[in-house]
Amino acid sequence: MAETPQPTTPTRVTYDYVTRTIARTLGTPSRGYFLLLGAAVALLAIGIITLLYLLRYGLGLAGYSHPVYWAVFITCFVFWVGIAHSGTLISAILFLFRSGWRTAVYRTAEAMTVFAVMTAGLFPLIHIGRQWYFYWLIPYPNERGLWPNFKSPLIWDEFAIGTYFTVSTLFLIMGLIPDIAAVRDLATGWRKKLYALTSIGWTGSNEQWRNFTGWHATIFAPYFVAGAIYSGCGMVITLLTPIRTLFGLEELITVKHFENLAKLCLLTGSIVGYAYACEYFIAWYSGNPTERAAFWYRAFGPYWWATWTMIICNGFLPLLLWVKKIRTNITALFVISIFVNIGMWFERYVIIVVSLAGEPFTKWTNAVYNPTWADWGIMAGSFGWFFMWFLLFVKNFPAVSISEVKEVLPPPRSKPSKAHA
Protein backbone atom coordinates (compact mmCIF):
# COMPACT_ATOMS: atom_id res chain seq x y z
CA MET A 1 0.00 0.00 0.00
CA ALA A 2 1.46 3.35 -1.05
CA GLU A 3 2.29 5.83 1.67
CA THR A 4 0.27 9.01 1.83
CA PRO A 5 2.54 12.00 1.01
CA GLN A 6 3.00 14.27 3.99
CA PRO A 7 2.22 17.96 3.41
CA THR A 8 5.18 20.28 3.74
CA THR A 9 3.00 23.10 5.08
CA PRO A 10 0.88 23.00 8.28
CA THR A 11 -2.71 22.13 7.41
CA ARG A 12 -4.06 25.17 9.25
CA VAL A 13 -2.24 27.51 6.85
CA THR A 14 -4.94 27.58 4.19
CA TYR A 15 -5.90 30.28 1.70
CA ASP A 16 -8.54 31.64 4.06
CA TYR A 17 -6.11 31.52 6.99
CA VAL A 18 -3.53 33.55 5.05
CA THR A 19 -6.06 36.23 4.08
CA ARG A 20 -7.55 36.59 7.57
CA THR A 21 -4.22 36.45 9.40
CA ILE A 22 -2.64 39.17 7.30
CA ALA A 23 -5.84 41.24 7.33
CA ARG A 24 -5.78 41.02 11.13
CA THR A 25 -2.52 43.03 11.15
CA LEU A 26 -4.59 46.02 10.00
CA GLY A 27 -6.71 46.01 13.15
CA THR A 28 -6.45 48.06 16.33
CA PRO A 29 -2.78 48.84 17.10
CA SER A 30 -1.22 47.32 20.21
CA ARG A 31 0.64 49.17 22.94
CA GLY A 32 3.95 47.92 21.56
CA TYR A 33 3.14 49.40 18.16
CA PHE A 34 2.37 52.79 19.68
CA LEU A 35 5.62 52.68 21.65
CA LEU A 36 7.60 52.02 18.48
CA LEU A 37 5.72 54.70 16.54
CA GLY A 38 6.22 57.16 19.41
CA ALA A 39 9.95 56.46 19.44
CA ALA A 40 10.14 57.03 15.67
CA VAL A 41 8.21 60.31 15.91
CA ALA A 42 10.47 61.43 18.78
CA LEU A 43 13.56 60.80 16.64
CA LEU A 44 11.93 62.67 13.76
CA ALA A 45 11.19 65.59 16.11
CA ILE A 46 14.88 65.72 17.07
CA GLY A 47 15.77 65.87 13.39
CA ILE A 48 13.22 68.62 12.66
CA ILE A 49 14.44 70.74 15.59
CA THR A 50 18.03 70.28 14.43
CA LEU A 51 17.08 71.26 10.88
CA LEU A 52 15.37 74.41 12.15
CA TYR A 53 18.57 75.36 13.94
CA LEU A 54 20.52 74.74 10.73
CA LEU A 55 18.09 76.95 8.81
CA ARG A 56 18.52 79.72 11.40
CA TYR A 57 22.27 79.56 12.00
CA GLY A 58 23.60 77.77 8.91
CA LEU A 59 25.59 74.63 8.20
CA GLY A 60 28.39 75.92 10.39
CA LEU A 61 26.67 74.11 13.26
CA ALA A 62 27.72 70.83 11.67
CA GLY A 63 31.23 69.57 12.32
CA TYR A 64 32.71 70.61 8.99
CA SER A 65 36.42 71.37 8.88
CA HIS A 66 38.64 71.89 5.88
CA PRO A 67 38.71 69.79 3.73
CA VAL A 68 35.93 67.59 5.19
CA TYR A 69 32.80 69.15 3.76
CA TRP A 70 31.04 65.88 2.93
CA ALA A 71 30.70 64.11 6.23
CA VAL A 72 27.82 62.65 8.28
CA PHE A 73 25.09 64.05 6.03
CA ILE A 74 26.47 62.45 2.88
CA THR A 75 27.43 59.33 4.84
CA CYS A 76 23.75 58.98 5.77
CA PHE A 77 22.76 59.61 2.15
CA VAL A 78 24.94 56.77 0.86
CA PHE A 79 23.83 54.53 3.75
CA TRP A 80 20.13 54.91 2.95
CA VAL A 81 20.72 54.42 -0.78
CA GLY A 82 22.52 51.17 0.07
CA ILE A 83 19.65 50.05 2.30
CA ALA A 84 17.26 50.65 -0.59
CA HIS A 85 19.10 48.20 -2.85
CA SER A 86 18.00 45.07 -1.05
CA GLY A 87 14.32 45.62 -1.82
CA THR A 88 14.96 45.38 -5.53
CA LEU A 89 17.22 42.38 -4.94
CA ILE A 90 14.50 40.41 -3.19
CA SER A 91 11.62 41.56 -5.38
CA ALA A 92 13.44 41.19 -8.71
CA ILE A 93 16.35 38.76 -8.63
CA LEU A 94 14.75 36.22 -6.31
CA PHE A 95 11.56 36.49 -8.35
CA LEU A 96 13.48 35.62 -11.51
CA PHE A 97 14.87 32.53 -9.75
CA ARG A 98 11.35 31.68 -8.50
CA SER A 99 12.51 31.40 -4.88
CA GLY A 100 9.37 30.41 -2.97
CA TRP A 101 10.55 31.68 0.41
CA ARG A 102 10.71 35.27 -0.85
CA THR A 103 6.90 35.55 -0.80
CA ALA A 104 6.73 36.18 2.95
CA VAL A 105 9.47 38.81 3.06
CA TYR A 106 9.56 40.69 -0.22
CA ARG A 107 6.74 43.12 0.62
CA THR A 108 8.67 44.35 3.66
CA ALA A 109 11.76 44.74 1.48
CA GLU A 110 9.91 46.70 -1.21
CA ALA A 111 8.33 49.05 1.33
CA MET A 112 11.74 49.48 2.94
CA THR A 113 13.17 50.42 -0.47
CA VAL A 114 10.62 53.18 -1.08
CA PHE A 115 10.97 54.72 2.38
CA ALA A 116 14.76 54.42 2.33
CA VAL A 117 14.87 56.33 -0.97
CA MET A 118 12.53 58.95 0.52
CA THR A 119 14.95 59.27 3.44
CA ALA A 120 18.03 59.45 1.21
CA GLY A 121 16.38 62.20 -0.83
CA LEU A 122 16.28 64.49 2.22
CA PHE A 123 20.06 64.75 2.54
CA PRO A 124 20.94 66.56 -0.70
CA LEU A 125 18.30 69.13 0.32
CA ILE A 126 19.80 69.46 3.80
CA HIS A 127 23.33 69.66 2.42
CA ILE A 128 22.69 72.54 0.02
CA GLY A 129 22.30 74.92 2.99
CA ARG A 130 19.73 77.23 1.40
CA GLN A 131 16.87 74.79 1.27
CA TRP A 132 14.43 77.36 -0.09
CA TYR A 133 16.34 77.12 -3.39
CA PHE A 134 15.76 73.38 -3.66
CA TYR A 135 14.05 73.78 -7.04
CA TRP A 136 17.41 74.65 -8.60
CA LEU A 137 18.22 70.96 -8.34
CA ILE A 138 15.36 70.09 -10.70
CA PRO A 139 16.55 70.05 -14.34
CA TYR A 140 14.02 72.32 -16.00
CA PRO A 141 14.25 75.58 -18.00
CA ASN A 142 12.56 78.55 -16.33
CA GLU A 143 11.57 82.09 -17.13
CA ARG A 144 14.60 83.54 -15.28
CA GLY A 145 17.00 81.74 -17.59
CA LEU A 146 18.52 79.77 -14.72
CA TRP A 147 19.58 76.34 -15.88
CA PRO A 148 20.84 73.71 -13.41
CA ASN A 149 24.57 73.14 -13.16
CA PHE A 150 24.99 69.66 -14.60
CA LYS A 151 28.53 69.51 -13.22
CA SER A 152 27.12 69.48 -9.69
CA PRO A 153 26.78 66.05 -8.06
CA LEU A 154 23.59 67.28 -6.38
CA ILE A 155 21.88 67.41 -9.78
CA TRP A 156 22.73 63.78 -10.40
CA ASP A 157 21.58 62.90 -6.91
CA GLU A 158 18.19 64.24 -7.93
CA PHE A 159 18.24 62.20 -11.14
CA ALA A 160 19.23 59.01 -9.34
CA ILE A 161 16.80 59.40 -6.44
CA GLY A 162 13.93 60.45 -8.68
CA THR A 163 14.38 57.48 -11.00
CA TYR A 164 14.94 55.00 -8.19
CA PHE A 165 11.93 56.29 -6.24
CA THR A 166 9.66 56.09 -9.28
CA VAL A 167 10.64 52.52 -10.19
CA SER A 168 10.57 51.27 -6.58
CA THR A 169 7.15 52.83 -5.99
CA LEU A 170 5.78 51.12 -9.11
CA PHE A 171 7.10 47.77 -7.87
CA LEU A 172 5.41 48.29 -4.52
CA ILE A 173 2.08 49.55 -5.87
CA MET A 174 1.72 46.83 -8.51
CA GLY A 175 2.36 44.09 -5.98
CA LEU A 176 -0.12 45.61 -3.54
CA ILE A 177 -3.12 45.66 -5.87
CA PRO A 178 -4.32 42.02 -5.44
CA ASP A 179 -3.72 42.18 -1.67
CA ILE A 180 -5.64 45.42 -1.28
CA ALA A 181 -8.53 43.82 -3.13
CA ALA A 182 -8.38 40.84 -0.75
CA VAL A 183 -8.58 42.96 2.40
CA ARG A 184 -11.14 45.25 0.76
CA ASP A 185 -13.74 42.50 1.06
CA LEU A 186 -13.06 42.15 4.81
CA ALA A 187 -12.72 45.82 5.72
CA THR A 188 -15.41 48.21 6.95
CA GLY A 189 -15.80 51.97 7.27
CA TRP A 190 -13.23 54.36 5.83
CA ARG A 191 -10.76 51.56 5.20
CA LYS A 192 -13.18 49.82 2.84
CA LYS A 193 -13.58 53.06 0.85
CA LEU A 194 -9.79 53.54 0.76
CA TYR A 195 -9.15 49.97 -0.38
CA ALA A 196 -11.95 50.14 -2.96
CA LEU A 197 -10.23 53.19 -4.47
CA THR A 198 -6.65 51.90 -4.32
CA SER A 199 -7.46 48.40 -5.62
CA ILE A 200 -8.42 50.13 -8.92
CA GLY A 201 -11.17 47.68 -9.77
CA TRP A 202 -9.28 44.44 -9.18
CA THR A 203 -11.59 41.43 -9.27
CA GLY A 204 -9.09 38.61 -9.72
CA SER A 205 -10.33 37.61 -13.16
CA ASN A 206 -8.19 35.50 -15.50
CA GLU A 207 -7.65 38.51 -17.75
CA GLN A 208 -6.36 40.64 -14.88
CA TRP A 209 -4.04 37.92 -13.56
CA ARG A 210 -2.65 37.34 -17.06
CA ASN A 211 -1.80 41.04 -17.39
CA PHE A 212 -0.48 41.21 -13.83
CA THR A 213 1.96 38.31 -14.18
CA GLY A 214 2.95 39.48 -17.66
CA TRP A 215 4.01 42.84 -16.28
CA HIS A 216 6.23 41.12 -13.72
CA ALA A 217 7.83 38.98 -16.41
CA THR A 218 9.53 42.10 -17.81
CA ILE A 219 11.25 43.12 -14.56
CA PHE A 220 14.94 43.72 -15.18
CA ALA A 221 17.57 42.98 -12.53
CA PRO A 222 19.86 45.99 -11.92
CA TYR A 223 23.43 45.73 -10.83
CA PHE A 224 24.11 45.45 -7.07
CA VAL A 225 27.25 45.56 -5.01
CA ALA A 226 27.75 43.09 -2.20
CA GLY A 227 27.83 45.76 0.49
CA ALA A 228 24.46 47.20 -0.48
CA ILE A 229 22.88 43.73 -0.51
CA TYR A 230 24.50 42.92 2.83
CA SER A 231 23.21 46.05 4.56
CA GLY A 232 19.79 45.70 2.97
CA CYS A 233 19.33 42.09 4.10
CA GLY A 234 20.39 43.13 7.58
CA MET A 235 17.75 45.86 7.63
CA VAL A 236 15.08 43.41 6.41
CA ILE A 237 15.83 41.18 9.41
CA THR A 238 15.71 44.23 11.69
CA LEU A 239 12.27 45.17 10.38
CA LEU A 240 10.77 41.69 10.12
CA THR A 241 11.57 40.67 13.69
CA PRO A 242 9.26 43.14 15.48
CA ILE A 243 6.58 42.82 12.77
CA ARG A 244 6.51 39.06 13.24
CA THR A 245 6.09 39.41 17.01
CA LEU A 246 3.70 42.38 17.13
CA PHE A 247 1.31 41.01 14.49
CA GLY A 248 1.51 37.32 15.40
CA LEU A 249 2.82 36.17 12.02
CA GLU A 250 5.00 33.35 13.36
CA GLU A 251 3.33 30.75 11.13
CA LEU A 252 3.76 32.82 7.96
CA ILE A 253 7.18 34.37 8.61
CA THR A 254 8.90 31.28 9.90
CA VAL A 255 12.39 30.55 11.19
CA LYS A 256 13.17 29.18 7.73
CA HIS A 257 12.64 32.62 6.22
CA PHE A 258 15.04 34.16 8.72
CA GLU A 259 17.58 31.41 8.11
CA ASN A 260 17.50 32.08 4.36
CA LEU A 261 18.01 35.80 4.97
CA ALA A 262 20.88 34.91 7.31
CA LYS A 263 22.46 32.82 4.55
CA LEU A 264 22.25 35.82 2.21
CA CYS A 265 23.92 37.94 4.88
CA LEU A 266 26.57 35.26 5.30
CA LEU A 267 27.28 35.16 1.56
CA THR A 268 27.39 38.90 0.97
CA GLY A 269 29.11 39.62 4.30
CA SER A 270 31.81 37.10 3.39
CA ILE A 271 32.31 38.88 0.07
CA VAL A 272 32.62 42.21 1.89
CA GLY A 273 35.08 40.75 4.40
CA TYR A 274 37.10 39.18 1.59
CA ALA A 275 37.22 42.56 -0.15
CA TYR A 276 38.56 44.20 3.01
CA ALA A 277 41.26 41.53 3.32
CA CYS A 278 42.24 41.94 -0.34
CA GLU A 279 42.53 45.71 0.03
CA TYR A 280 44.94 45.49 2.95
CA PHE A 281 46.88 42.58 1.46
CA ILE A 282 47.40 44.35 -1.86
CA ALA A 283 48.43 47.53 -0.02
CA TRP A 284 51.08 45.52 1.85
CA TYR A 285 52.15 43.22 -1.01
CA SER A 286 52.46 46.01 -3.59
CA GLY A 287 55.35 47.60 -1.74
CA ASN A 288 53.97 51.04 -2.62
CA PRO A 289 54.78 53.27 0.39
CA THR A 290 51.91 55.66 -0.38
CA GLU A 291 49.29 52.92 -0.49
CA ARG A 292 50.72 51.25 2.60
CA ALA A 293 50.64 54.53 4.51
CA ALA A 294 47.06 55.21 3.40
CA PHE A 295 45.74 51.94 4.78
CA TRP A 296 47.89 52.23 7.90
CA TYR A 297 46.29 55.64 8.42
CA ARG A 298 42.83 54.09 8.19
CA ALA A 299 43.59 51.28 10.62
CA PHE A 300 45.76 53.11 13.17
CA GLY A 301 45.25 56.82 12.53
CA PRO A 302 42.85 59.17 14.35
CA TYR A 303 39.86 57.35 12.82
CA TRP A 304 40.94 53.84 13.83
CA TRP A 305 37.74 53.40 15.85
CA ALA A 306 35.55 53.86 12.75
CA THR A 307 37.68 51.52 10.65
CA TRP A 308 37.75 48.72 13.21
CA THR A 309 34.01 49.07 13.86
CA MET A 310 33.51 48.59 10.12
CA ILE A 311 35.85 45.58 9.93
CA ILE A 312 34.47 43.81 13.01
CA CYS A 313 30.79 44.32 12.10
CA ASN A 314 31.17 43.54 8.39
CA GLY A 315 34.10 41.15 8.31
CA PHE A 316 33.93 39.06 11.48
CA LEU A 317 30.33 39.09 12.69
CA PRO A 318 28.98 37.38 9.53
CA LEU A 319 31.18 34.39 10.35
CA LEU A 320 28.86 33.65 13.29
CA LEU A 321 26.17 32.78 10.76
CA TRP A 322 28.02 29.61 9.83
CA VAL A 323 26.56 28.19 13.06
CA LYS A 324 23.05 26.84 12.44
CA LYS A 325 21.93 27.52 16.02
CA ILE A 326 22.67 31.22 15.47
CA ARG A 327 21.08 31.29 12.01
CA THR A 328 17.86 29.87 13.45
CA ASN A 329 17.80 32.03 16.61
CA ILE A 330 15.57 35.04 15.94
CA THR A 331 16.98 37.10 18.83
CA ALA A 332 20.58 36.45 17.78
CA LEU A 333 19.79 37.37 14.16
CA PHE A 334 18.10 40.59 15.29
CA VAL A 335 21.17 41.62 17.31
CA ILE A 336 23.52 40.73 14.45
CA SER A 337 21.37 42.70 11.99
CA ILE A 338 21.73 45.80 14.16
CA PHE A 339 25.51 45.46 14.05
CA VAL A 340 25.36 44.84 10.30
CA ASN A 341 23.74 48.23 9.75
CA ILE A 342 26.12 49.92 12.18
CA GLY A 343 29.06 48.41 10.30
CA MET A 344 27.76 49.45 6.88
CA TRP A 345 27.11 52.99 8.11
CA PHE A 346 30.70 53.20 9.32
CA GLU A 347 31.91 51.81 6.00
CA ARG A 348 30.43 54.86 4.27
CA TYR A 349 31.85 57.06 7.04
CA VAL A 350 35.35 55.65 6.44
CA ILE A 351 35.06 56.03 2.68
CA ILE A 352 33.91 59.65 2.88
CA VAL A 353 35.30 61.21 6.04
CA VAL A 354 38.63 59.40 6.35
CA SER A 355 39.40 59.88 2.67
CA LEU A 356 38.72 63.61 2.85
CA ALA A 357 40.33 64.21 6.24
CA GLY A 358 43.77 63.76 4.76
CA GLU A 359 46.50 61.22 4.37
CA PRO A 360 50.12 61.20 5.61
CA PHE A 361 51.44 62.19 2.17
CA THR A 362 49.12 65.19 1.79
CA LYS A 363 49.84 67.19 4.92
CA TRP A 364 48.26 70.31 3.49
CA THR A 365 44.82 68.66 3.61
CA ASN A 366 45.15 67.02 7.02
CA ALA A 367 42.23 67.78 9.29
CA VAL A 368 40.38 66.15 12.15
CA TYR A 369 36.64 66.05 11.65
CA ASN A 370 34.55 66.09 14.82
CA PRO A 371 30.80 65.60 14.35
CA THR A 372 28.60 67.93 16.36
CA TRP A 373 25.16 67.60 17.87
CA ALA A 374 23.74 68.95 14.60
CA ASP A 375 25.20 66.04 12.63
CA TRP A 376 23.85 63.44 15.04
CA GLY A 377 20.49 65.20 15.32
CA ILE A 378 19.94 65.12 11.57
CA MET A 379 21.02 61.47 11.44
CA ALA A 380 18.60 60.56 14.25
CA GLY A 381 15.84 62.43 12.44
CA SER A 382 16.48 60.41 9.26
CA PHE A 383 15.96 57.16 11.15
CA GLY A 384 12.82 58.57 12.74
CA TRP A 385 11.49 59.62 9.34
CA PHE A 386 12.17 56.16 7.87
CA PHE A 387 10.66 54.15 10.72
CA MET A 388 7.63 56.42 11.02
CA TRP A 389 6.65 55.85 7.38
CA PHE A 390 7.38 52.14 7.61
CA LEU A 391 5.30 51.67 10.76
CA LEU A 392 2.39 53.61 9.28
CA PHE A 393 2.60 51.47 6.15
CA VAL A 394 2.55 48.09 7.90
CA LYS A 395 -0.45 49.14 9.98
CA ASN A 396 -2.55 50.25 7.05
CA PHE A 397 -1.51 47.90 4.25
CA PRO A 398 -0.65 44.17 4.20
CA ALA A 399 2.94 43.69 5.38
CA VAL A 400 3.06 40.21 3.83
CA SER A 401 1.88 39.41 0.31
CA ILE A 402 -1.39 37.48 0.52
CA SER A 403 -1.50 36.40 -3.11
CA GLU A 404 2.10 35.22 -3.31
CA VAL A 405 2.08 33.34 0.00
CA LYS A 406 -0.88 31.40 -1.37
CA GLU A 407 1.18 30.45 -4.42
CA VAL A 408 3.45 28.21 -2.34
CA LEU A 409 0.57 26.54 -0.45
CA PRO A 410 -0.97 23.23 -1.54
CA PRO A 411 -4.07 23.92 -3.64
CA PRO A 412 -7.36 23.41 -1.79
CA ARG A 413 -9.12 20.15 -2.56
CA SER A 414 -12.75 19.25 -2.15
CA LYS A 415 -13.54 16.46 0.29
CA PRO A 416 -14.48 13.14 -1.36
CA SER A 417 -18.12 12.21 -1.16
CA LYS A 418 -19.21 9.22 0.93
CA ALA A 419 -20.24 7.43 -2.25
CA HIS A 420 -16.63 7.34 -3.42
CA ALA A 421 -15.08 6.78 0.01
Side-chain angles (χ1 to χ4, degrees), residues 262 266-267 270 317-327:
L266 176 59
L267 172 63
S270 298
L317 275 183
L319 300 180
L320 296 174
L321 298 175
W322 282 106
V323 182
K324 186 176 180 63
K325 287 185 178 180
I326 296 179
R327 289 201 310 270

Side-chain angles (χ1 to χ4, degrees), residues 286-337:
S286 66
N288 186 321
T290 304
E291 189 171 2
R292 283 185 177 181
F295 281 89
W296 184 270
Y297 178 84
R298 281 190 177 186
F300 302 104
Y303 298 99
W304 64 268
W305 50 272
T307 300
W308 284 104
T309 300
M310 172 192 77
I311 292 174
I312 291 172
C313 292
N314 298 340
F316 292 103
L317 275 183
L319 300 180
L320 296 174
L321 298 175
W322 282 106
V323 182
K324 186 176 180 63
K325 287 185 178 180
I326 296 179
R327 289 201 310 270
T328 54
N329 187 304
I330 305 299
T331 303
L333 287 180
F334 180 73
V335 173
I336 290 175
S337 71

Side-chain angles (χ1 to χ4, degrees), residues 146-165:
L146 296 174
W147 285 74
N149 178 12
F150 287 97
K151 296 180 180 179
S152 170
L154 294 174
I155 296 294
W156 297 105
D157 286 343
E158 194 278 335
F159 270 114
I161 293 173
T163 303
Y164 202 178
F165 178 75

Side-chain angles (χ1 to χ4, degrees), residues 231-385:
S231 62
C233 290
M235 184 62 82
V236 170
I237 295 175
T238 303
L239 296 174
L240 275 179
T241 303
I243 288 176
R244 180 177 185 266
T245 303
L246 285 174
F247 295 153
L249 299 176
E250 288 83 1
E251 294 193 61
L252 298 182
I253 306 176
T254 65
V255 174
K256 186 65 176 178
H257 294 112
F258 281 93
E259 185 179 10
N260 287 331
L261 286 172
K263 289 178 180 178
L264 274 178
C265 282
L266 176 59
L267 172 63
T268 53
S270 298
I271 295 173
V272 170
Y274 178 75
Y276 292 162
C278 285
E279 282 185 328
Y280 279 88
F281 174 78
I282 295 301
W284 168 79
Y285 188 74
S286 66
N288 186 321
T290 304
E291 189 171 2
R292 283 185 177 181
F295 281 89
W296 184 270
Y297 178 84
R298 281 190 177 186
F300 302 104
Y303 298 99
W304 64 268
W305 50 272
T307 300
W308 284 104
T309 300
M310 172 192 77
I311 292 174
I312 291 172
C313 292
N314 298 340
F316 292 103
L317 275 183
L319 300 180
L320 296 174
L321 298 175
W322 282 106
V323 182
K324 186 176 180 63
K325 287 185 178 180
I326 296 179
R327 289 201 310 270
T328 54
N329 187 304
I330 305 299
T331 303
L333 287 180
F334 180 73
V335 173
I336 290 175
S337 71
I338 297 295
F339 282 103
V340 165
N341 288 288
I342 292 174
M344 291 308 299
W345 190 93
F346 273 101
E347 179 187 277
R348 277 65 182 233
Y349 186 90
V350 168
I351 292 172
I352 295 170
V353 173
V354 178
S355 300
L356 290 174
E359 303 288 351
F361 288 87
T362 55
K363 295 293 185 183
W364 60 276
T365 64
N366 275 353
V368 176
Y369 167 71
N370 294 309
T372 65
W373 64 270
D375 295 296
W376 301 127
I378 290 294
M379 186 185 74
S382 72
F383 279 90
W385 170 268

Side-chain angles (χ1 to χ4, degrees), residues 48-59 61 373-374:
I48 292 174
I49 293 172
T50 305
L51 179 60
L52 292 176
Y53 269 90
L54 291 176
L55 289 173
R56 176 63 178 86
Y57 298 104
L59 288 176
L61 292 178
W373 64 270

